[in-house]
């Protein structure tokens, strides 16, 4: 089998796949006590949010990534979900452990409420039954579920080489069934490596508690324990169940049999360590028979509390390697393999840190010897298939050789030092801080525009399915139920017609249309040739004007003469503008401050003013030091990955300062503002300042009327206002933008962070 | 006054203005007999079509240009209206004369029917009253009305120099009243120069007929006559009316007085040679008092039958020069100036070709002496203001000196030779041919895209107001009633959302979305780097593929390997594609013929196939000669001004032919098709062939489904079909285009000319 893999596949084909992660986490207050608050309503309907829902308890958030092609993407997505939830639960935290936090007695555990719909009622009732059957505490145990399949073309190639005489469905079923069986045989190794539940809080009173020793004032452990969650004290069925894995049909028969006997209520209640999954998992039995096995779900993994998302990328990579191993490893015909697998699981779970013996085909074998044997086989696969995981295997080998390196041991030690609640809460608080600092971005998607990242996060939060159609182009689709919308760059949507966009794109047309609607625009003229422009110059001498290319953007080729100037300067400005476009405009210069009004639908969602890069003195630091200090903010970065850019001290700054008799060694007085450049672009370190609440309504009305004039639903209106504090001040519309950035309003340097993405989703009809 | 003009204005300011032309024309059959058919319904509702309506008679088309900045534009627009009407009246013609064609007795003249609306009923009833009062025949006399005003800033500058102590409205009224008075004084000169009605058809039986001599079997003239239309036999009030022109108020008072006395029914019935016009001409009296004079309407001009549009550009330029003269010329205080003006008008009209005397301030003066005096004053103005009309004035002077150069004389001579009906019909037929050859374009707007010209013409035809917002960008607005639409390049409209356009613009997204909708697209992959692409090459060796840049258009950077090729060619093709974009696609090559399906709304409006430049042999001509012959078609031009391009015999053709063992001297056999190039672009002389009626419905359905998948209302679907005659043939969508050209379907090389513009207007809701 290894040779077939080697001949057929390259590294990338084997390392890519479909990976989906699920992680549960309890919401807790700052004392590590379980939350009694409702699941945040902004996270949408639990029933139909595919990303964020609740598990057993109302306080038990479940985060579910979609199937992604690489493990790194899946893990990043899990972090995104963490960030989203963390930022929506206000002063609460996400408990970083699989075993519960401080919890009340069973009767007081808040069972998840799925609402009054039929589906919702069934979901709630099912949880009530579980509560009665297993007790509420066990149901609060959280974990990581690892869903995976190979890319279909892998299976197809294997089928065309090995599938003779079988249907494709049968072949594929057998392929995954083999992995499932081998997983059950060798799962003990994963439990050893990933086990992270050696400690219980005292509130988890249980028969198990009695056999453990107290290691801090409120917590208990047991010598050698790796994973209480995977032990008899963990989340198990009432009796040991061994469904058949020899074929999909016999497996389904086993499950139906268990249900018939009343051992379990439905297939979901079969708490096996690995599950066969199909296309329609709400009707798993039918779908398995009809569609066959589509992927496997590994359920043994404890949350790693030392990782914000609950699992490290190295561990994920090892799991995949392990799965490849399972798909290759030949099986023998030992009968009691399922019982042995369970025996080994429990042994490792309870005593894994110790030197123990496991069973192999009925014989006892030293745990380490067994583990090292598996690892050496994995190592060979890694080498033969050039999978590049040498270092990772070495790390795993060391963990096998030294149980002090296990997560279980590390947690035990940390608990001894700090106590259970404190140890976990200090991690939870650090992760919450990290989530807050990530609020403007979507981890793993930092190559996309911030505005798109923000919109995607907002959509995921609300259970709107996000698909990336063209990542470089920031082209996504959003869908929920029957509704589907295509969106580019966050604000280019179906809400605006093409002609609306074309009007905004064309400054001449924009001005004509605004003027027709009685909205003030700068007077101006248009020239198609430099000669024509030059022959008109005398009319504009000493009058305040702006000279600009007709269609370019970002301020390129624009010259401004606020106090007017002489003919030669005007000619020069025309020359520059004509370098950037075949048509050039000269317009009257409007005095005042320029504001960006972001119109969404019928309202102004944000008003912003941009000021040039600057520092404010404290009387002791010089400009250089003040810049360094200001640049420390995590909101400032490089290359548009953050809402603000770091200020760069370059020759432009030197020139600007020297023209004012200053240099970067100058120490500004207390509260003295020193500007460092002329232009106010965010890209050169400028600051964005929110004015949404202080801007007089009149100017907001003008902005909305301007957008309406071109029938724009999303529109960045640039308004020049002579004195914005005076609602009767003169003004003029400078430009309408059909693709306004939203991140500048969502995360300004100063002022309230505006929930723009929510407004876009409301406009699109996804949010009521 | 001349000095003030000289100091304040330059040539352009004086020569620009607001010019609007109106022209009436009778519809006739091929025998020059008046038409009894209804006004074509495609020309919309007569009541609200601002461009094309009827005057007195149902068969009397009235064409009205909007106010345009230059005389050339106004005259071109008049030709556009002529072309439109001419192409809609099937086998009828437009009579090129002011005096009527062959007409029936009064009772049988078809009076215009304006429908059953209140406004329509009033319009029809008014015409019935005129019929009774003046007789139907007089009402059939047609003419040219010349509406003009100076640009407002001219009047404003004059006001700030001369207007002291007066309101602006009063000043402006006085300015135009002076021109009106001087026009009435000197109108005889224009009548001499432009008079073109020296002949009457015998069916125009009238008291006038008796005093004329027969000059051909069916027509009559009178020695020396210039303009029967401007004589007592023309279109005059029942009695001579001399309303006051001393102020707007007194002028209005005169009109009300005439109405009170029952001499006329309303202000429209005052058939003065010049009219004061205002903003709301349906309520002229109120508007004149409220808004003042806005422009003047000169009504003396006979249609020039030697011009398709009825008036030459030189004559228009002279009229404007004449108006400038009238605005400058000081007035004297001779009391009977109105009576004298009418006397001179009638004298010129009846005897203008002869040496006659006119009256000036009560004294007789030789006509030529008087005319030359005026011309010398005009010449001085032309010189002082550098208006550049020297040649034109010289032309006019010659016409004054030699009455044989008058239109009147030329018409008389032509009529003598050919007869009245035949002479006029030969002109009418030539103009109809010209209109037909212009059908794909809009005269005067040839700098715009053909598709836009076609859409504008279709809109004007239907009375939809066209405004050009940005000419170079082909950006227009269409409006009718309260409805207004903005359109760029004919097919970029508000019907399509921006996200729809963005989807079509992005080949990757297009393919994903089409595939999701079950529509067949070529399989393919996308590469972001040349290295990645090259490392994939071995998978594509010897398979039919297309390699193309992701976003560029017009076939640039595309390589096609219909039979597959070796690695080195693929690498080369990738290199070429990456020169044109950062992302490159490789796609399976689909066999067959490529068709453009133009989807508008829910239907396929046209199906087209393009074939490379070619000639078809006749057994005698060589390729060079055949190309020359084919290029003679008026549908072929250069630089996209025509639906097809001329075939160029360049080195590409030489190479292509030599590869086939041919050269341009080769004489193809009868019906032998010789292709001249590989590519089928229209721009290199390719032919467009319409398949709309023969294409199986299945492929039309697929095209519509493809457009629907991206929610496009206007979409060019490029479909590759292996065998289009087989409705079950394999196919694939090659591309969706959001800005499909319409002219290629409207005017194909072979096949039916499709009425695409009409469908666009229907989609936009302008046409039911």
């Amino acid at each position: 089998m290894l040779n077939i893999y080697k001949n057929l596949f390259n590294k990338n084909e084997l390392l890519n796949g479909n990976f989906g992660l699920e992680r549960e986490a309890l919401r807790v207050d700052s004392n590590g006590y379980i939350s009694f608050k409702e699941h945040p309503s902004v996270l949408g309907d639990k029933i139909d949010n595919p990303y964020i829902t609740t598990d057993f308890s109302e306080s038990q958030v479940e985060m579910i990534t979609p199937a992604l092609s690489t493990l790194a993407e899946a893990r990043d997505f899990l972090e995104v979900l963490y960030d989203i939830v963390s930022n929506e639960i206000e002063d609460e935290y996400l408990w970083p452990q699989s075993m519960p936090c401080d919890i009340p007695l069973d009767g007081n555990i808040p069972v998840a409420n799925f609402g009054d719909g039929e589906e919702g009622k069934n979901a709630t009732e099912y949880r009530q039954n579980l509560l009665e059957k297993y007790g509420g505490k066990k149901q609060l145990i959280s974990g990581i579920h690892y869903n995976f399949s190979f890319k279909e073309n892998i299976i197809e190639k294997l089928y065309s080489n090995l599938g003779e005489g079988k249907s494709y469905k049968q072949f594929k079923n057998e392929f995954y069934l083999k992995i499932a069986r081998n997983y059950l045989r060798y799962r003990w190794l994963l439990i050893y490596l990933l086990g992270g539940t050696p400690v219980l809080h005292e509130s988890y009173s249980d028969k198990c508690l009695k056999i453990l020793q107290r290691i801090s004032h409120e917590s208990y452990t047991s010598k050698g324990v790796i994973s209480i969650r995977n032990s008899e004290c963990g989340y198990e069925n009432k009796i040991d169940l061994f469904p058949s894995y020899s074929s999909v049909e016999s497996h389904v028969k086993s499950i139906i049999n268990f249900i018939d006997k009343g051992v379990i209520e439905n297939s979901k209640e079969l708490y096996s360590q690995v599950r066969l999954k199909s296309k329609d998992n709400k009707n798993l039995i039918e779908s398995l028979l009809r569609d066959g096995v589509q992927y496997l779900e590994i359920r043994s993994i404890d949350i790693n509390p030392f990782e914000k998302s609950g699992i490290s990328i190295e561990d994920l990579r090892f799991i995949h390697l392990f799965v490849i191993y399972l798909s290759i490893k030949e099986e023998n015909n030992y009968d009691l393999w399922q019982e042995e697998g369970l025996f080994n699981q429990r042994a490792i779970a309870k005593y894994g840190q110790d030197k123990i013996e496991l069973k192999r085909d009925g014989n006892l074998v030293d745990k380490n010897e067994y583990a090292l044997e598996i690892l050496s086989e994995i190592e060979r696969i890694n080498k033969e298939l050039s999978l590049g995981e040498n270092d990772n295997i070495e790390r795993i080998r060391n963990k096998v050789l030294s149980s002090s390196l296990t997560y279980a041991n590390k947690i035990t030690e940390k608990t001894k030092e700090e106590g259970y609640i404190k140890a976990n809460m200090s991690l939870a608080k650090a992760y919450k801080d990290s989530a807050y600092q990530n609020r403007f971005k979507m981890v793993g998607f930092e190559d996309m525009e911030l505005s798109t990242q923000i919109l995607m996060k907002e959509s995921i939060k609300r259970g709107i399915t996000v698909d990336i159609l063209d990542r470089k182009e920031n082209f996504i689709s959003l869908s929920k139920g029957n509704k589907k919308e295509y969106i580019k760059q966050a604000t280019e949507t179906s809400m605006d017609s093409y002609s609306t966009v074309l009007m905004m794109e064309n400054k001449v047309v924009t001005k004509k249309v605004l003027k027709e609607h009685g909205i003030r625009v700068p007077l101006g003229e248009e020239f198609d040739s430099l000669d024509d422009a030059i022959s008109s110059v005398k009319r504009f001498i000493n009058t305040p004007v702006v000279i600009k290319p007709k269609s370019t953007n970002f301020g390129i080729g624009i010259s401004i003469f606020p106090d007017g100037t002489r003919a030669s300067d005007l000619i020069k400005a025309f020359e520059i503008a004509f370098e950037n476009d075949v048509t050039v405009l000269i317009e009257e210069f409007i005095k005042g401050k320029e504001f960006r009004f972001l119109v969404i639908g019928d309202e102004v969602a944000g008003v912003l003013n941009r000021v040039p890069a600057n520092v404010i003195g404290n009387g002791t630091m010089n400009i250089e030091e003040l810049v360094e200090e200001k640049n420390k903010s995590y909101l400032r970065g490089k290359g548009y990955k953050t809402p603000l850019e770091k200020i760069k001290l370059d020759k432009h700054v030197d020139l600007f300062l020297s023209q004012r008799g200053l240099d970067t060694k100058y120490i500004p007085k207390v509260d003295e503002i020193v500007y460092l450049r002329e232009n106010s672009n965010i890209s050169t370190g400028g600051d964005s300042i929110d004015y949404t609440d202080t801007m007089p309504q009149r100017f907001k009305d003008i902005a909305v009327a301007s957008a309406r004039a071109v029938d724009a639903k999303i529109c960045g209106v640039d308004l020049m206002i002579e004195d914005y504090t005076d609602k009767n001040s003169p003004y003029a519309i400078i430009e309408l933008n059909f693709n306004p950035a939203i991140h500048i309003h969502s995360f300004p340097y100063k002022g309230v962070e505006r929930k723009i993405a929510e407004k876009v989703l409301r406009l699109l009809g996804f949010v009521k």
Side-chain angles (χ1 to χ4, degrees), chain A:
Chain A
M1 192 76 175
L2 177 56
N3 274 333
I4 290 170
Y5 274 42
K6 196 174 165 181
N7 290 334
L8 291 179
F9 309 120
N10 65 29
K11 174 185 168 182
N12 265 344
E13 287 171 306
L14 288 168
L15 294 188
N16 283 336
N18 307 299
F19 303 102
L21 299 174
E22 298 169 30
R23 181 225 169 135
E24 297 137 2
L26 295 174
R27 282 186 290 120
V28 297
D29 67 16
S30 61
N31 298 316
Y33 193 66
I34 194 166
S35 166
F36 288 97
K37 291 187 188 167
E38 284 186 2
H39 187 67
S41 64
V42 73
L43 300 176
D45 191 341
K46 284 169 239 171
I47 283 286
D48 68 6
N49 187 327
Y51 303 113
I52 302 166
T53 178
T54 57
D55 198 278
F56 170 77
S57 166
E58 181 74 11
S59 319
Q60 190 173 26
V61 179
E62 183 171 3
M63 294 165 267
I64 306 157
T65 78
L68 295 159
S69 286
T70 67
L71 286 163
E73 288 171 291
R75 188 174 167 280
D76 283 343
F77 206 101
L78 197 55
E79 183 166 351
V80 167
L81 296 175
Y82 189 103
D83 290 346
I84 289 171
V85 173
S86 178
N87 287 322
E88 293 300 332
I89 56 177
E90 296 174 349
D91 56 354
E92 296 186 334
Y93 299 85
L94 290 172
W95 185 250
Q97 256 288 339
S98 276
M99 293 311 286
C101 54
D102 191 356
I103 51 174
L105 294 176
D106 260 16
N108 293 330
I109 289 171
V111 175
N113 178 2
F114 279 81
D116 292 335
E118 197 187 342
E119 205 183 339
K121 274 185 183 160
N122 289 343
T124 310
E125 189 187 314
Y126 172 60
R127 280 164 176 72
Q128 288 294 351
N129 293 345
L130 293 179
L131 180 66
E132 278 165 34
K133 191 164 176 182
Y134 298 94
K137 288 172 184 171
K138 258 192 188 163
Q139 297 289 346
L140 293 182
I141 296 174
S142 300
I144 296 240
H145 294 177
Y146 176 95
N147 298 283
F148 81 95
S149 62
F150 288 97
K151 289 281 178 196
E152 205 61 26
N153 64 347
I154 294 271
I155 319 274
E156 283 165 0
K157 277 195 195 168
L158 288 173
Y159 177 64
S160 64
N161 277 272
L162 303 167
E164 219 181 299
K166 293 174 189 169
S167 73
Y168 181 68
K169 182 170 109 180
Q170 188 190 354
F171 178 81
K172 188 169 160 186
N173 281 346
E174 288 176 6
F175 177 76
Y176 283 116
L177 279 163
K178 176 186 175 187
I179 296 176
R181 289 187 302 265
N182 272 340
Y183 181 78
L184 292 173
R185 287 188 179 98
Y186 304 110
R187 68 187 189 251
W188 63 266
L189 180 58
L190 273 202
I191 293 169
Y192 172 82
L193 295 169
L194 306 179
T197 47
V199 184
L200 281 183
H201 187 257
E202 61 181 358
S203 63
Y204 194 86
S205 63
D206 187 273
K207 62 179 191 309
C208 294
L209 206 55
K210 294 169 191 142
I211 58 157
L212 303 172
Q213 322 89 273
R214 180 185 290 261
I215 51 163
S216 72
H217 67 283
E218 28 59 313
S219 60
Y220 296 82
T221 187
S222 151
K223 189 177 166 295
V225 68
I226 285 279
S227 175
I228 295 173
R229 176 169 163 276
N230 281 296
S231 75
E232 291 101 324
C233 299
Y235 203 52
E236 288 196 330
N237 285 105
K238 284 288 182 188
I239 55 168
D240 296 340
L241 297 175
F242 300 108
S244 164
Y245 286 89
S246 58
S247 71
V248 164
E249 292 70 19
S250 64
H251 183 74
V252 164
K253 224 178 270 174
S254 310
I255 294 174
I256 292 170
N257 200 26
F258 297 149
I259 296 172
D260 271 359
K261 287 188 178 153
V263 183
I264 56 175
E265 198 177 314
N266 56 37
S267 64
K268 262 168 72 184
E269 201 188 326
L270 179 67
Y271 300 131
S272 50
Q273 294 257 318
V274 64
R275 267 188 191 158
L276 311 182
K277 290 301 199 74
S278 191
K279 275 185 185 156
D280 177 6
N281 292 314
K282 286 195 175 170
N283 301 293
L284 182 65
I285 289 171
E286 290 84 347
S287 189
L288 272 177
L289 293 172
R290 184 182 60 234
D291 308 316
V293 181
Q294 297 296 322
Y295 64 98
L296 297 179
E297 180 187 23
I298 288 178
R299 300 161 49 85
S300 323
I301 308 162
D302 287 352
I303 290 166
N304 176 353
F306 301 108
E307 291 283 333
K308 179 176 157 196
S309 53
I311 189 159
S312 77
I313 186 66
E314 290 79 11
D315 285 340
L316 284 167
R317 292 213 314 266
F318 182 75
I319 296 170
H320 186 58
L321 204 56
F322 186 64
V323 165
I324 292 173
Y325 161 72
L326 301 176
S327 76
I328 291 171
K329 177 72 177 172
E330 291 307 321
E331 299 177 275
N332 66 19
N333 51 9
Y334 180 64
D335 270 357
L336 297 173
W337 63 276
Q338 283 214 59
E339 289 79 356
E340 196 172 273
L342 181 60
F343 172 85
N344 288 345
Q345 172 191 327
R346 287 179 177 162
I348 282 292
K350 271 200 279 192
Y351 313 112
Q353 290 190 56
D354 292 344
K355 181 171 162 49
I356 55 165
E357 289 192 320
L358 301 176
K359 286 190 189 167
R360 181 163 55 181
D361 303 338
N363 304 313
L364 289 174
V365 55
D366 175 72
K367 175 198 76 181
N368 281 12
E369 191 190 317
Y370 195 0
L372 292 172
E373 248 182 68
I374 297 172
L375 282 182
S376 74
E377 289 178 59
I378 289 176
E379 199 164 27
R380 181 160 163 247
I381 290 170
N382 174 58
K383 197 180 148 202
E384 293 285 329
L385 301 178
S386 308
L387 299 178
E389 291 290 332
N390 312 49
D391 292 352
N392 203 14
I393 295 170
E394 195 52 31
R395 180 183 69 89
I396 297 293
R397 193 194 310 276
N398 288 335
K399 203 179 261 194
V400 167
L401 294 172
S402 166
S403 63
S404 67
L405 297 175
T406 57
Y407 300 133
N409 181 59
K410 287 184 180 172
I411 291 162
T412 309
E413 292 305 312
K414 193 172 165 71
T415 311
K416 278 182 191 164
E417 273 171 40
E418 303 175 34
Y420 185 70
I421 296 292
K422 219 179 141 196
N424 281 297
M425 284 309 291
S426 73
L427 294 168
K429 284 174 182 171
Y431 301 151
K432 191 172 176 80
D433 282 352
S434 158
Y436 181 73
Q437 295 203 357
N438 282 346
R439 72 195 184 286
F440 61 80
K441 70 174 177 190
M442 182 156 159
V443 172
F445 295 82
E446 291 96 336
D447 55 309
M448 299 183 78
E449 283 186 353
L450 277 181
S451 289
T452 296
Q453 292 182 51
I454 291 166
L455 184 66
M456 292 202 299
K457 268 177 95 171
E458 188 71 23
S459 303
I460 290 164
K461 182 199 291 180
R462 293 163 183 280
I464 300 159
T465 301
V466 176
D467 282 304
I468 297 175
L469 300 175
D470 190 332
R471 187 157 178 148
K472 263 188 301 186
E473 299 284 325
N474 295 283
F475 209 136
I476 63 172
S477 71
L478 301 181
S479 46
K480 180 137 201 171
N482 290 325
K483 185 170 177 55
K484 185 158 197 169
E485 288 287 337
Y486 296 88
I487 296 148
K488 194 178 166 192
Q489 296 184 312
T491 49
E492 300 176 6
T493 74
S494 71
M495 296 296 110
D496 284 313
S497 81
Y498 191 33
S499 60
T500 284
V501 168
L502 292 169
M503 279 191 261
M504 290 196 259
E505 209 173 44
N506 184 312
K507 289 195 182 84
V508 174
V509 174
T510 302
K511 275 175 72 172
K512 277 188 190 167
V513 174
L514 287 177
K515 218 171 154 186
E516 258 180 50
H517 283 78
I519 295 161
R520 173 117 168 73
V521 289
L523 302 175
E525 278 182 57
E526 189 183 329
F527 296 103
D528 292 334
S529 84
L530 183 58
D531 284 351
D532 283 357
I534 288 173
S535 72
S536 81
V537 148
K538 60 181 173 187
R539 277 188 282 141
F540 301 108
I541 292 169
N542 293 329
T543 48
V545 289
V546 181
I547 292 174
K548 56 181 174 182
K550 182 172 168 188
S551 293
T552 54
N553 243 317
F554 302 115
I556 296 160
I558 295 185
S559 301
I560 304 178
F561 302 104
D563 307 309
T565 189
R566 55 207 175 140
S568 61
D569 291 343
L570 293 170
I571 290 172
K572 187 130 199 196
F574 274 123
E575 285 168 355
I576 292 168
F578 270 108
E579 281 165 20
N580 291 285
D581 201 343
V582 293
T583 306
V584 165
L585 310 179
I586 184 165
E587 271 179 1
E588 65 173 317
F589 173 78
I590 308 290
K591 260 186 244 149
K593 212 167 178 170
E594 191 178 327
F595 294 88
R596 159 63 59 90
F597 287 67
L598 176 61
V599 175
I600 298 183
D602 285 334
E603 64 163 334
V604 169
V607 182
L608 206 78
N609 171 242
R610 282 167 279 203
V611 295
N614 65 81
V615 288
I616 301 178
N618 56 13
T620 58
M621 291 163 102
N622 66 26
I623 289 177
E624 211 174 287
E625 292 159 341
L626 288 166
V627 165
E628 205 185 315
E629 198 56 32
K630 193 165 180 176
N631 279 347
K632 281 181 184 163
S633 162
Y634 65 90
L635 289 177
R636 285 188 194 271
K638 280 177 184 167
Y640 314 106
K641 303 252 174 264
T642 47
L644 297 165
E645 288 289 301
K646 285 189 195 296
I647 300 170
K648 244 180 24 192
L649 291 177
D650 55 15
K651 61 180 183 194
H652 299 285
V653 173
D654 290 340
L655 183 67
F656 186 87
L657 289 175
S658 77
Q659 283 169 343
R660 281 143 189 86
L662 301 174
D663 64 28
T664 56
K665 298 297 176 199
Y666 170 72
I667 299 176
K669 290 184 276 292
V670 175
D671 291 339
E672 183 190 352
I673 300 180
V674 180
Y675 289 100
L676 304 171
R677 309 179 160 260
E678 189 79 63
N679 87 60
S680 58
N681 293 348
I682 300 297
S683 59
T684 54
D687 291 336
S688 50
I689 310 203
D690 176 72
Y691 280 81
T692 313
D693 296 329
T694 48
M695 183 58 63
Q697 187 59 35
R698 176 187 172 226
F699 299 115
K700 293 183 184 173
D701 291 345
I702 289 165
V704 171
S706 302
R708 268 199 206 135
V710 295
D711 198 26
K713 300 297 183 299
I714 300 183
C715 181
V717 180
D718 290 335
L719 247 167
M720 185 67 89
I721 306 176
E722 205 166 304
D723 173 10
Y724 84 95
T725 63
D726 170 12
K727 75 179 170 63
N728 297 313
S729 166
Y731 77 92
I733 303 288
I734 301 300
E735 208 169 72
L736 301 183
N737 301 277
F738 63 88
N739 178 222
I742 66 175
H743 69 271
I744 52 174
H745 302 276
S746 301
F747 301 102
Y749 175 66
K750 257 189 210 163
V752 179
E753 297 186 351
R754 304 284 160 187
K755 301 195 167 178
I756 308 296
E758 181 184 327
K759 297 199 158 142
V760 173
L761 292 178
R762 181 165 296 128
L763 180 74
L764 290 169
F766 283 114
V767 175
K768 272 172 208 145

